[in-house]
Amino acid sequence: MNDVISIFKNIPDHIPEELFQEILKTKNFKIERIISRGHSSPDNEWYDQKENEWVILLKGSAGLLFEGHEKVVVLRSGDYLNIPSHTKHRVEWTDPNTETVWLAIHYKGEE
């Protein structure tokens, strides 16, 4: 039998850099836990991923900016969205007072 593990377990008290932890990976998808606390993407840098990404914010809050848009998309606990491959985006901010816990699923599109 597999051990049950909480997504909120083993979160470090001090997170100098955003923390990416792979939970499960196959040839078609990857699931990762991301932990932020006051982190953002480096200035003028954008994520441009070759896989699609479905992300849900489990705890905390964050603001995402998509290239070509001026309005920051605010995510709070329970909010999720799908980011198609090669959609340039960046993390503008995450809550500085508590952990922001994300669950991201990176997956290949239809072939």
Side-chain angles (χ1 to χ4, degrees):
M1 180 167 189
N2 292 330
D3 292 333
V4 174
I5 303 169
S6 171
I7 198 78
F8 301 111
K9 198 112 171 138
N10 298 322
I11 295 176
D13 291 330
H14 182 65
I15 307 168
E17 295 181 5
E18 199 167 35
L19 183 61
F20 295 83
Q21 298 173 314
E22 189 174 285
I23 294 174
L24 179 65
K25 185 176 181 178
T26 74
K27 67 178 184 172
N28 294 315
F29 72 89
K30 174 177 73 170
I31 301 173
E32 67 182 349
R33 175 175 82 163
I34 306 167
I35 303 170
S36 314
R37 183 182 288 148
H39 297 98
S40 61
S41 299
D43 289 342
N44 300 315
E45 288 192 27
W46 298 87
Y47 289 108
D48 183 6
Q49 301 161 168
K50 61 183 176 178
E51 287 88 20
N52 302 299
E53 180 181 11
W54 181 89
V55 64
I56 185 168
L57 203 103
L58 301 175
K59 179 181 178 187
S61 58
L64 296 179
L65 182 63
F66 292 89
E67 186 179 54
H69 299 268
E70 293 181 18
K71 186 177 179 183
V72 173
V73 176
V74 176
L75 298 173
R76 291 182 173 72
S77 297
D79 292 341
Y80 65 89
L81 54 83
N82 190 62
I83 305 170
S85 63
H86 297 293
T87 300
K88 290 184 179 180
H89 62 286
R90 51 180 280 109
V91 177
E92 286 292 293
W93 57 268
T94 59
D95 191 327
N97 299 314
T98 189
E99 303 87 25
T100 295
V101 179
W102 316 69
L103 187 67
I105 300 174
H106 302 270
Y107 64 97
K108 295 182 179 185
E110 298 294 322
E111 297 189 19

